[in-house]
Amino acid sequence: MANRVLYDLAGADSTLRFSPYCWRTRMALLHKELPFATLPWRFTDKETIAFSGQGLVPVLVDGEQIISDSWAIADYLEQTYPDAPSRFGCNSGQALTRFINEFVDGVVHPGMARLIVSDIPHVLGESDRAYFRESREKRFGKPLEEITSNRDIEITAFRRSLEPLRRVLTKQPFLGGSTALYADYILFGAFQWARCTSTFELLAEEDVLFAWRERMLDAFSGHARKSPCR
Amino acid sequence: MANRVLYDLAGADSTLRFSPYCWRTRMALLHKELPFATLPWRFTDKETIAFSGQGLVPVLVDGEQIISDSWAIADYLEQTYPDAPSRFGCNSGQALTRFINEFVDGVVHPGMARLIVSDIPHVLGESDRAYFRESREKRFGKPLEEITSNRDIEITAFRRSLEPLRRVLTKQPFLGGSTALYADYILFGAFQWARCTSTFELLAEEDVLFAWRERMLDAFSGHARKSPCR
C-alpha cells in the first residue's frame, strides 16, 4: 500500500468518485504535489474506516497519521508540508477561506442537493442505494423524486444564490485570485459531485461560473475532466 | 486641511456618520494606524466631491491622491502603505476577501435594507430626506414604510441568511481569524449603518454575531461604540 492513501467515496463503478468533500481533498493533494493513492469506499463500508474513529470520508492516511474531515485534512497538509505550494496564501488566507467553506456547505450543497439528489442512486451499488435512499428521504422528509420534481423551476433560485460567487469571478479568474486556491476546490467539489452523478445542467453556458468550472476541469492536466462521470 | 481626508456621509447631525462603505474605510484607516480627518458629506452634495470624477462616498484624499470606492481605497492603502498592519494578511487574503465583500453587498445589505430603510429619513436633513425617499422608493417600487411593514416576520429570513457567517464565528473570533481584518470591517459596516440609523434590533443577544459585533464596537478603543448613533 502507498504511503499516502485517500479513502474516497465510489459508485457501483469503483472508478466513479463523487463525494464533494473527497474532491476538495483530492484537489488539495494535487495542488500540494503530494503523491497519493485512493481506495474506493462505499457508504455502507463503515467498518473499513472504523480505525479513523468515525464513519465518513474523506479519510487520509499519511504514513502514521490518520486524519478525517476535509477541513482538518486541509489544515493538516498546510501544517505538515509548509514548503509545498500553499492553498491558502497565508494564515489569514486560511481563516478567510472558512467563510467560503461555510457558504458552500450551508448554501450551495443544500441548494444543489434539491436539484440532483434523485439522480444519485443510479450510480450506486445495491446496498448503498438502499442506504442512501432511506437516509436522505428521512432527512428531507419526502421521496427523492419528489424533492427534485420542480427542478426546472427551482434552478432559477439556485443560480441566484450563486450571485456573490459570480460577482467575484467577474473581477478575478479564481476565488483565490490569479490562481486557484483551496477556496476554489471547496466550490469545485460541489460541481464535481453533480457532474459525476447527474446530467442535469446547473449552469448556463454564458455564466462566468461555467467558464470558471471549465478552468477547474482543466487544472492538473485535466485531472477532474478525465475522471469518470455519469 | 489635514493631509488625509475622508469624505464621510453624515446625517442632519453632522457627527452622525452612517454609510456602511465609509465605515469600512474608517476602520481600515484605524487598522493601518494612518491619521485622518473626516468631512461630513450629504447625498445632495454632489458638487463637493465632483473633483473625484463620481458622486458617491467614501472619497479619500491622501496628499495628491484622490480615490473613491471602498474596495479601491482598501486596495490603495494596502499598496501604498505595505509596512502598516495588513488588513488582508497577504495577496491571497485580499483575493479571498472579495467573496465576503460581494456577499455583504449582495445578501446582507439588501436584506438589512428591507428591515431599516424607513428609519433612515429620520436622521437626514431636509433636502437629503427628500432625495433619499424618492430614490429608494423608486428602487424598491414602493413606499419606504411599506418595505419594512413586515419586518417583525422578515427578520427571521434575514437572520437565517447570516448562517454561514455565524458558522465561521463559532470556530474563530473574527472572519479574519484570531484578529479582525478588512473582511470584518466589511460586515461591521453593515451593522454600524443599522446602528446609526435605526433602533430595530437585528441580532438576538445569544447570537455569536452579537458577541462578534460587541468585539468590533470595542476595537480601536471603542471608536465605533463612541460614534453617535440614533
Side-chain angles (χ1 to χ4, degrees):
Chain A
M1 195 150 101
N3 199 41
R4 191 175 296 112
V5 176
L6 173 67
Y7 287 78
D8 195 16
L9 185 63
D13 167 0
S14 70
T15 68
L16 187 105
R17 307 298 174 86
F18 64 96
S19 156
Y21 301 101
C22 290
W23 271 101
R24 296 180 190 182
T25 300
R26 183 185 279 258
M27 299 293 271
L29 286 162
L30 290 165
H31 183 119
K32 278 211 161 288
E33 300 168 7
L34 295 168
F36 63 101
T38 67
L39 279 177
W41 178 87
R42 271 87 181 191
F43 288 117
T44 45
D45 269 357
K46 298 291 182 197
E47 277 177 32
T48 321
I49 56 168
F51 69 89
S52 72
Q54 52 87 61
L56 299 168
V57 290
V59 171
L60 182 71
V61 180
D62 188 24
E64 303 285 299
Q65 300 295 315
I66 298 160
I67 318 104
S68 58
D69 179 88
S70 60
W71 184 270
I73 294 171
D75 185 52
Y76 164 82
L77 293 174
E78 203 70 5
Q79 305 297 326
T80 312
Y81 304 102
D83 295 336
S86 171
R87 296 138 310 131
F88 294 115
C90 57
N91 285 345
S92 300
Q94 182 165 352
L96 291 161
T97 300
R98 267 213 189 271
F99 179 61
I100 294 171
N101 201 74
E102 299 300 344
F103 181 82
V104 172
D105 285 0
V107 176
V108 180
H109 280 185
M112 209 179 266
R114 297 182 58 81
L115 304 174
I116 65 162
V117 71
S118 62
D119 295 330
I120 297 176
H122 298 284
V123 304
L124 303 177
E126 202 171 330
S127 56
D128 262 21
R129 203 182 303 148
Y131 164 85
F132 185 84
R133 182 172 289 277
E134 193 189 331
S135 59
R136 270 47 175 186
E137 294 192 344
K138 194 171 166 193
R139 188 186 296 172
F140 284 95
K142 55 175 97 168
L144 300 185
E145 288 68 20
E146 209 175 295
I147 299 163
T148 59
S149 62
N150 267 328
R151 65 182 175 182
D152 290 332
I153 291 158
E154 290 191 3
I155 182 80
T156 307
F158 171 73
R159 287 179 179 172
R160 199 182 309 123
S161 76
L162 305 177
E163 189 57 24
L165 296 162
R166 196 172 283 123
R167 284 167 64 157
V168 172
L169 294 170
T170 59
K171 289 162 186 157
Q172 56 194 42
F174 298 99
L175 298 176
S178 54
T179 58
L181 292 180
Y182 192 63
D184 294 276
Y185 306 144
I186 293 168
L187 179 62
F188 179 69
F191 284 102
Q192 191 69 349
W193 173 45
R195 183 173 178 271
C196 294
T197 58
S198 173
T199 55
F200 184 69
E201 185 50 69
L202 296 168
L203 300 172
E205 257 187 72
E206 62 276 17
D207 193 334
V208 293
L209 277 161
F210 188 100
W212 165 85
R213 189 179 58 183
E214 290 294 306
R215 288 193 289 278
M216 297 303 293
L217 287 165
D218 289 338
F220 311 123
S221 310
H223 181 94
R225 195 187 290 285
K226 288 178 206 152
S227 177
C229 65
R230 193 175 166 196
Chain B
M1 194 151 101
N3 198 41
R4 191 175 296 113
V5 176
L6 173 66
Y7 286 79
D8 194 15
L9 185 63
D13 168 359
S14 70
T15 68
L16 187 105
R17 307 298 174 88
F18 65 96
S19 157
Y21 300 101
C22 290
W23 271 101
R24 296 180 189 182
T25 299
R26 183 185 279 258
M27 300 292 271
L29 286 163
L30 290 165
H31 183 118
K32 278 211 161 288
E33 300 168 7
L34 296 168
F36 63 101
T38 67
L39 279 176
W41 178 87
R42 272 86 181 193
F43 287 116
T44 44
D45 269 357
K46 297 293 183 196
E47 275 177 33
T48 321
I49 56 167
F51 70 88
S52 72
Q54 52 87 61
L56 300 169
V57 290
V59 171
L60 182 71
V61 180
D62 188 25
E64 304 285 298
Q65 298 297 316
I66 299 161
I67 318 102
S68 58
D69 179 87
S70 60
W71 183 270
I73 293 171
D75 185 52
Y76 164 82
L77 293 175
E78 203 69 5
Q79 304 298 325
T80 312
Y81 304 102
D83 296 336
S86 172
R87 295 139 310 132
F88 295 115
C90 57
N91 285 345
S92 300
Q94 181 165 353
L96 291 162
T97 299
R98 266 211 189 271
F99 179 61
I100 294 172
N101 201 75
E102 299 300 344
F103 181 81
V104 173
D105 285 0
V107 177
V108 180
H109 280 186
M112 208 178 266
R114 296 183 59 82
L115 304 174
I116 64 163
V117 71
S118 61
D119 296 331
I120 296 175
H122 298 283
V123 305
L124 303 178
E126 201 170 332
S127 57
D128 263 20
R129 203 181 304 146
Y131 163 85
F132 185 83
R133 182 171 290 277
E134 193 189 330
S135 60
R136 270 46 176 186
E137 294 192 344
K138 193 172 167 194
R139 188 186 295 172
F140 284 94
K142 56 175 97 167
L144 300 186
E145 288 68 21
E146 209 176 294
I147 298 164
T148 59
S149 61
N150 267 327
R151 64 182 176 183
D152 290 332
I153 291 160
E154 290 191 3
I155 182 81
T156 307
F158 172 72
R159 287 179 179 173
R160 199 182 311 122
S161 76
L162 306 177
E163 189 57 23
L165 296 162
R166 197 172 283 124
R167 286 168 62 157
V168 172
L169 294 170
T170 60
K171 288 162 188 157
Q172 56 194 41
F174 297 100
L175 297 177
S178 55
T179 57
L181 293 180
Y182 191 63
D184 294 276
Y185 307 144
I186 293 169
L187 180 62
F188 178 69
F191 284 102
Q192 192 68 350
W193 173 45
R195 183 172 178 273
C196 293
T197 58
S198 173
T199 56
F200 184 70
E201 185 49 71
L202 295 169
L203 299 172
E205 257 187 70
E206 63 277 16
D207 193 334
V208 293
L209 277 162
F210 188 101
W212 164 86
R213 190 179 57 184
E214 290 295 304
R215 289 194 289 279
M216 297 303 294
L217 287 165
D218 289 338
F220 312 122
S221 311
H223 182 93
R225 196 187 289 285
K226 289 178 205 153
S227 176
C229 64
R230 195 175 164 195

